[in-house]
């Protein structure tokens, strides 16, 4: 790439002339952020380095970085949250800067107004001496303040309905359900890569869902971060890593926002009975996640092995073995609660096949269902070892 030097008068040093090299790099885009690297002319006298305010940092991505990258993380975080310009960074490694920038955004959904950054390189001869950093913003500060006001209103409405004394699992479940009920998936939604799309417009895509989930969980005191990867077919996707009672789990609110397809029922099956929430992605293990998702995150993620806070385990719908008494109890209790449908989740393919053979092949499900017309609507998900029945 062409490199242009500019001789600055009055700044000669023993080793030669202090030069500033600037370059305009091609625009780089990803599914998650847009980065532009541009140059700017060096002033004859460099400004004093900014003294930044340091606040405690508890983000997951931050915790996984080596010490020298944690310092860079704090510099970038503070520059973005305090709208600082031309902040001298402790690193001159542009790939490292890009990586740490993404870590900051993964940990901080509240930095919704950032769409990229610019950096300026300062050289002495052919030696790169420093890089300064300035954020690129989607809105001016007045617009940011107004959007934050609207975000605060949404968050207050949401959290005001959370059950009193809720434990971590109950908080995660409540927020998962609340977002699904109040958000529509829309690839054309404005600001769909940040929380504004969910909290202000009520329409978003996976990254908007995931950042909104993270924002609300953090506000509710549940640690959460953004996770990046791909799903079946290779499509880029985003979801969350959450910590519940000291254990890590994955939560995918986007994939939770989907109705099951009723199978075997009448075409006129009541629309109000079609479920809007899929709980297969509420507090799942790495093993379960890997059935449909591939991790491609910016930092290493933990092996999530606990099932204690998994939705089906907590709600009593999880089968470690075929158990007729458990099936009978579940259907009876769900009828008593007036539920529209019930989902049964199996630990393994073997247990799933036993359930399928008993309930579907041998049609024993009619022992538990109140269906005078002799018709049952159901959905089975062999990939997730789950089976749903409309009541």
């Amino acid at each position: 790439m062409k490199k242009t030097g500019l001789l600055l008068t009055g700044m000669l040093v023993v080793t030669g002339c202090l030069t500033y090299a600037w370059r305009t790099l091609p625009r780089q885009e990803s599914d998650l952020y847009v980065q532009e690297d541009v140059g700017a002319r060096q002033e004859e006298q460099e400004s004093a380095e900014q003294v930044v305010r340091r606040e405690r940092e508890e983000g997951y991505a931050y915790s996984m970085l080596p010490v020298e990258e944690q310092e860079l993380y704090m510099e970038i975080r503070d520059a973005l949250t305090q709208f600082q310009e031309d902040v001298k960074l402790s690193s001159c490694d542009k790939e490292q800067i890009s990586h740490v920038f993404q870590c900051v955004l993964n940990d901080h959904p509240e930095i919704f107004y950032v769409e990229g950054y610019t950096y300026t390189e300062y050289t002495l001869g052919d030696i790169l001496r420093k890089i300064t950093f300035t954020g690129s913003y989607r809105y001016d500060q007045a617009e940011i303040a107004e959007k934050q006001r609207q975000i605060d209103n949404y968050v207050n409405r949401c959290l005001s309905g959370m059950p009193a004394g809720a434990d971590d699992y109950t908080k995660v479940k409540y927020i998962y359900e609340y977002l699904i009920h109040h958000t529509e998936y829309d690839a054309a939604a404005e600001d769909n890569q940040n929380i504004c799309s969910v909290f202000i417009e009520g329409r978003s895509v996976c990254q908007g869902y995931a950042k909104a989930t993270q924002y609300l969980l953090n506000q509710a005191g549940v640690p959460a971060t953004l996770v990046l990867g791909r799903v079946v077919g290779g499509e880029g996707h985003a979801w969350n890593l959450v910590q519940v009672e000291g254990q890590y789990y994955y939560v995918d609110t986007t994939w939770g926002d989907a109705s099951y397809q009723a199978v075997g029922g009448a075409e006129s099956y009541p629309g109000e009975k079609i479920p809007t929430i899929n709980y297969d992605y509420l507090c799942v293990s790495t093993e379960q996640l890997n059935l449909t998702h591939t991790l491609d995150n910016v930092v290493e993620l933990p092996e999530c092995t606990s099932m204690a806070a998994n939705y089906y385990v907590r709600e009593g719908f999880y089968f470690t073995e075929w158990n007729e008494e458990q099936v009978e109890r579940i259907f009876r209790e769900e009828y008593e609660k007036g539920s529209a449908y019930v989902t049964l989740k199996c630990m393994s393919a073997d247990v799933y096949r036993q359930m399928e053979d008993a309930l579907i092949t041998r049609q024993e499900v009619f022992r538990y269902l109140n269906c005078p017309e002799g018709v049952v609507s159901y959905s089975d998900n062999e990939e997730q070892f789950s089976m749903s029945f409309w009541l």
Side-chain angles (χ1 to χ4, degrees), residues 306-354:
S306 176
M307 288 290 289
N310 177 265
Y311 168 80
Y312 295 105
V313 173
R314 282 292 299 261
E315 304 297 330
F317 302 141
Y318 190 69
F319 289 75
T320 58
E321 61 182 4
W322 172 242
N323 186 321
E324 293 183 9
E325 292 182 358
Q326 185 180 359
V327 173
E328 191 279 330
R329 175 188 57 78
I330 290 172
F331 276 92
R332 184 182 67 251
E333 291 178 353
E334 293 309 299
Y335 270 116
E336 291 173 354
K337 290 189 293 186
S339 301
Y341 69 99
V342 62
T343 300
L344 312 177
K345 173 88 168 180
C346 300
M347 179 183 70
S348 65
D350 287 342
V351 178
Y352 173 81
R353 281 191 291 269
Q354 292 177 50

Side-chain angles (χ1 to χ4, degrees), residues 235-256:
E235 181 182 358
H237 193 53
W239 60 96
N240 298 102
L241 175 74
V242 305
Q243 191 174 33
V244 178
E245 309 299 345
Q247 298 291 330
Y248 283 110
Y249 302 87
Y250 289 110
V251 172
D252 189 341
T253 312
T254 310
W255 276 34

